[in-house]
């Protein structure tokens, strides 16, 4: 049984972390819910009991075995070192440490063994990266990825609780024919819109979100030779990221072979029955642990090409679930054991 702290417990990911720890019956001896002064004193439920949210400080980690950090990159940069110093192991859901050497970047179904070398911090990859790799890693293992061209359709909740609320508020204004307030969480109003702009733009013309998907994929698959080009788009969907992925493999895979490989992959469900209009949908994938893959078809413009449509709940598999799965591996392998309470 472990003493667990959640940084960012009141956020969109925080809510799913609590539900996921509960649902998967993670061995929690005690739980500490941490947030900013905005939420300190509020109460949240965990396993039928009420817990008061505490202000996150550098002293919050005394006696804590496991920290699940989900309060934003700058907060992790500031507070995670204090947690590690206090002897806790941190699974960090932000981009603060993902590309640091010595910090494992882990999708359990893809490279779970990488947790072994941790030095106190294990990073959870970007949500769009996780969802893409759930589909691509099994294909990479079977046929070798040469090139990936991906466009994302990312939900408003990827920008947190406030992102979801802004989309709903702006949508109501459009439906009522009243002027919406200025967009704050997105560069433009997301209501009835698609915005090809997630995170900030970089000098190379790509957004940081797009380059995260490139660099993180190379790190997780341990292969920098894969060509990856990404366009990330925010769409007016509440929950679940969808991705249109075109791949070129070293070895030819037929659509049927790819379907069979994906059907046998852990954490993946193939939904691909065109006669019944069955393909992955954000509305169906919401609150589900699996990543869904469909529209699997050969790209006949190249020798070894495939097209896929992939959908996953980015608050679950893209964040909370992946984080808890990492914690489960740490617990199973005794990698949290140093300070664990009997
Ligand atoms: N949303 C997603 O789909 C997703 C997916 C993968 C990763 N992530 C990452 O997860 C992190 C959280 O995202 P989210 O979507 O849950 O955001 P969110 O809904 O905006 O929640 C942010 C959380 O961080 C807390 N927080 C903010 N500033 C703080 C401070 N100064 N001190 C202590 N706590 C503070 C907030 O507490 P208050 O209630 O006090 O404001 C809240 O609990 C981000 O790094 C994000 O990039 C998000």
């Amino acid at each position: 049984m472990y003493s667990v702290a959640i940084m960012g417990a009141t956020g969109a990911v925080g809510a799913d972390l609590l539900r996921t720890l509960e649902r998967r019956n993670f061995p929690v001896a005690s739980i500490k819910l941490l947030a900013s002064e905005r939420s300190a004193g509020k109460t949240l439920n965990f396993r039928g009991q009420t817990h008061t949210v505490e202000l996150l400080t550098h002293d919050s980690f005394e006696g804590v075995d496991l920290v699940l950090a989900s309060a934003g990159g700058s907060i992790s940069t500031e507070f995670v070192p204090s947690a590690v110093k206090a002897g806790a192991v941190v699974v960090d859901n932000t981009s603060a440490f993902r590309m640091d050497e010595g910090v494992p970047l882990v999708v359990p179904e893809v490279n779970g063994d990488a947790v072994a070398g941790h030095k106190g911090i294990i990073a959870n990859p970007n949500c769009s990266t996780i969802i893409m790799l759930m589909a691509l890693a099994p294909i990479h293992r079977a046929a070798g990825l040469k090139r990936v061209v991906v466009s994302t359709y990312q939900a408003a909740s990827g920008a947190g609780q406030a992102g979801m609320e802004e989309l709903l508020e702006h949508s109501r204004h459009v439906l009522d024919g009243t002027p919406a307030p200025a967009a704050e969480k997105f560069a433009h109003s997301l209501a009835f819109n698609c915005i090809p702009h997630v995170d900030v733009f970089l000098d190379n013309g790509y957004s940081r979100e797009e380059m995260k998907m490139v660099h993180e994929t190379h790190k997780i698959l341990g292969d920098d030779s894969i060509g990856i080009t990404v366009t990330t788009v925010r769409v007016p969907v509440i929950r679940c990221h969808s991705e249109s992925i075109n791949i070129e493999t070293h070895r030819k895979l037929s659509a049927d072979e790819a379907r069979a490989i994906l059907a046998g992959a852990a954490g993946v469900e193939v939904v691909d029955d065109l006669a019944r209009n069955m393909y992955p949908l954000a509305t169906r994938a919401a609150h589900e642990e699996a990543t869904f893959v469909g529209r699997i078809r050969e790209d006949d413009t190249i020798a070894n090409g495939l097209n896929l449509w992939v959908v996953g709940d980015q608050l679950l598999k893209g964040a909370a679930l992946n984080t808890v799965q990492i914690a489960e591996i740490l617990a199973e392998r005794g990698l949290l054991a140093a300070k664990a309470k009997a």
Side-chain angles (χ1 to χ4, degrees), residues 7-15 34-40 42 53-56 69-76 78-79 93-95 98 124-128 130 155-164 185 212 234 241 314-316 318-320:
M7 281 168 56
T10 53
V13 175
L34 303 167
S36 77
E37 64 285 346
R38 287 181 293 275
S39 295
K42 283 185 187 169
V53 176
E54 297 173 35
L55 177 66
L56 170 66
S70 202
S74 59
I75 307 300
S76 279
E78 184 179 349
F79 290 95
N93 208 17
T94 78
S95 57
R98 284 179 193 151
N124 205 60
N126 167 274
C127 45
S128 302
I130 295 177
S157 53
Q161 192 63 38
M164 261 187 278
K185 293 303 292 181
K212 280 179 197 168
R234 191 73 73 186
H241 290 355
Q314 94 291 346
L315 286 167
L316 276 181

Side-chain angles (χ1 to χ4, degrees), residues 1-3 26-27 63-66 87-90 118 120 122 326-342:
M1 301 285 279
Y2 301 97
S3 164
F26 188 82
V64 171
D65 304 307
L66 170 69
V89 175
V90 181
H118 86 78
I122 298 95
I326 292 171
E328 288 170 350
I329 299 182
L330 292 167
E332 277 161 21
R333 299 189 186 181
L335 295 168
L336 279 176
K339 294 177 66 269
K341 289 170 184 48

Side-chain angles (χ1 to χ4, degrees), residues 76-332:
S76 279
T77 302
E78 184 179 349
F79 290 95
V80 163
S82 302
V84 175
K85 207 167 157 198
V89 175
V90 181
V91 185
D92 186 49
N93 208 17
T94 78
S95 57
F97 307 101
R98 284 179 193 151
M99 296 310 295
D100 289 8
E101 219 170 291
V103 173
L105 183 63
V106 176
V107 182
E109 294 86 346
V110 178
N111 66 336
D113 288 342
V115 295
H118 86 78
K119 298 182 179 69
I121 306 172
I122 298 95
N124 205 60
N126 167 274
C127 45
S128 302
T129 310
I130 295 177
I131 289 164
M132 176 170 78
L133 287 186
M134 287 299 290
L136 294 195
I139 291 177
H140 182 54
R141 279 193 291 269
L145 286 172
K146 186 173 176 194
R147 183 164 185 259
V148 178
V149 182
V150 53
S151 296
T152 68
Y153 303 67
Q154 299 186 211
S157 53
Q161 192 63 38
M164 261 187 278
E165 285 162 14
E166 184 168 303
L167 170 61
L168 291 173
E169 189 195 0
H170 280 221
S171 301
R172 274 186 216 106
H173 279 285
V174 174
L175 292 170
D176 293 346
T178 55
E184 286 180 11
K185 293 303 292 181
F186 308 107
H188 304 273
S189 178
L190 186 58
F192 304 93
N193 211 357
C194 298
I195 308 176
H197 180 177
V198 181
D199 208 330
V200 297
F201 287 121
L202 306 174
D203 288 345
N204 65 357
Y206 286 82
S207 71
R208 192 159 60 189
E209 181 88 347
E210 290 162 353
M211 295 316 297
K212 280 179 197 168
M213 290 179 72
V214 175
H215 298 313
E216 294 181 18
T217 297
H218 286 159
K219 178 167 176 175
I220 294 163
L221 296 182
D223 186 347
D224 286 353
S225 73
I226 305 166
I228 307 169
T229 186
V230 187
T231 303
T232 55
V233 183
R234 191 73 73 186
V235 297
V237 163
I238 292 293
R239 199 172 163 124
C240 291
H241 290 355
S242 304
E243 303 184 8
S244 166
I245 307 178
N246 174 267
I247 57 171
E248 184 177 1
T249 51
H250 288 289
R251 188 174 76 73
K252 169 88 183 158
L253 275 187
S254 69
D256 281 343
E257 283 173 310
R259 215 172 272 119
I261 288 164
L262 289 164
V268 175
E269 274 187 37
V270 172
V271 182
D272 201 14
D273 185 349
L274 302 187
R276 294 169 58 221
N277 295 344
M278 297 285 281
Y279 28 74
L281 290 173
T283 45
R284 292 249 174 86
H287 304 286
E288 296 284 342
E289 292 197 348
T291 300
F292 298 87
V293 187
R295 300 296 319 280
I296 302 166
R297 61 212 189 275
E298 283 156 48
D299 170 2
D300 55 19
T301 66
I302 49 174
N304 301 343
L306 285 171
N307 283 306
L308 312 169
W309 176 250
V310 182
V311 181
D313 187 325
Q314 94 291 346
L315 286 167
L316 276 181
K317 186 56 194 168
L321 171 62
N322 201 71
T323 299
V324 172
Q325 286 177 303
I326 292 171
E328 288 170 350
I329 299 182
L330 292 167
E332 277 161 21

